[in-house]
Amino acid sequence: TEALARGAEQRAPARMQRTLHLIREFSDQVQVICFAGEMGEIAAKNTGFSTHVLGAAQSIPSEAGDTCAAAKALKDAQVDLILFAGGDGTARLIADVVGNALPVLGVPSGVKMHSGVYAISPEAAGEILKQLLTGQLVNIVERDVKDIDEDAFRNGQVRARFYGTLLVPED
C-alpha cells in the first residue's frame, strides 16, 4: 500500500500476461485455475486461456490474506503447478501455505528478489512452462525462499533471511 501511494505500479498482472503469452499455443490443452480478476483471471483470459475461478480477493489491490487464500485453494485443488507473480513477500506467503506439497514457479514482479523460486524474466518463465507442457525433462528441486530481514533493515543492515523452501522447476 505504501509503495503504491509513493507512485509504484502494479506489475504482476502485465508480467503474468507476458508469461502466458508465450504458451498460448497450448490454450486449448491447459485450463488456468485461479482467483478472479487481477489474481490470474484477467491475464489468462487476455491470452486466450479458459479459466476456472476458485475465489476472489477480499481487497483491491489484493493483500497477503488473499495470496494465502489463493495458495490454499490451489493446493486443495491439487493443481499441477502454481504459477505466481510477485516478489519475496509473495514467495514467503506461498511457502507458508504450500510448503513442498507441489511445484511452484515465480514470475519476477516484486521489489525484492532474493529467493531462488523465480525465473529470470517473465519470458523465461514461459519457456520453462513450454518445456513442462511438451514433456521435456525438467527436474523439480527445492529452492530457498528468502526475504529482507526487516528487523536488521530497520537497524541499517541489509541482509536476506531464510524463510523456507519451495519446489520449483530447475531450469
Side-chain angles (χ1 to χ4, degrees):
T1 303
E2 185 177 334
L4 292 172
R6 291 181 179 206
E9 297 177 16
Q10 281 276 34
R11 300 185 314 176
R15 287 181 172 233
M16 182 62 74
Q17 195 164 311
R18 283 169 47 193
T19 297
L20 294 176
H21 180 77
L22 290 170
I23 61 164
R24 69 176 186 257
E25 67 192 87
F26 300 97
S27 63
D28 60 338
Q29 303 165 37
V30 173
Q31 181 182 51
V32 175
I33 301 171
C34 57
F35 259 34
E38 301 270 328
M39 293 190 75
E41 181 186 31
I42 292 171
K45 285 187 174 182
N46 284 347
T47 49
F49 287 89
S50 64
T51 60
H52 177 75
V53 176
L54 295 177
Q58 299 300 303
S59 304
I60 304 222
S62 62
E63 295 179 352
D66 300 314
T67 298
C68 291
K72 182 180 181 331
L74 292 167
K75 178 182 173 185
D76 291 348
Q78 299 178 347
V79 297
D80 295 321
L81 176 128
I82 293 178
L83 180 68
F84 71 95
D88 288 328
T90 306
R92 283 177 57 185
L93 295 169
I94 292 172
D96 287 344
V97 175
V98 174
N100 288 335
L102 62 132
V104 304
L105 177 59
V107 175
S109 304
V111 176
K112 301 172 287 170
M113 309 301 293
H114 298 279
S115 299
V117 301
Y118 293 96
I120 59 170
S121 68
E123 291 75 17
E127 292 301 324
I128 292 168
L129 292 173
K130 272 187 187 180
Q131 290 176 6
L132 291 168
L133 289 167
T134 58
Q136 295 180 45
L137 183 60
V138 177
N139 290 328
I140 304 295
V141 297
E142 278 189 23
R143 289 290 179 245
D144 291 348
V145 174
K146 295 181 178 182
D147 199 355
I148 292 292
D149 182 329
E150 298 291 342
D151 292 330
F153 187 71
R154 286 184 195 92
N155 291 319
Q157 297 175 330
V158 179
R159 67 175 173 227
R161 180 175 157 201
F162 173 80
Y163 285 92
T165 61
L166 285 168
L167 297 175
V168 298
E170 187 176 34
D171 193 8

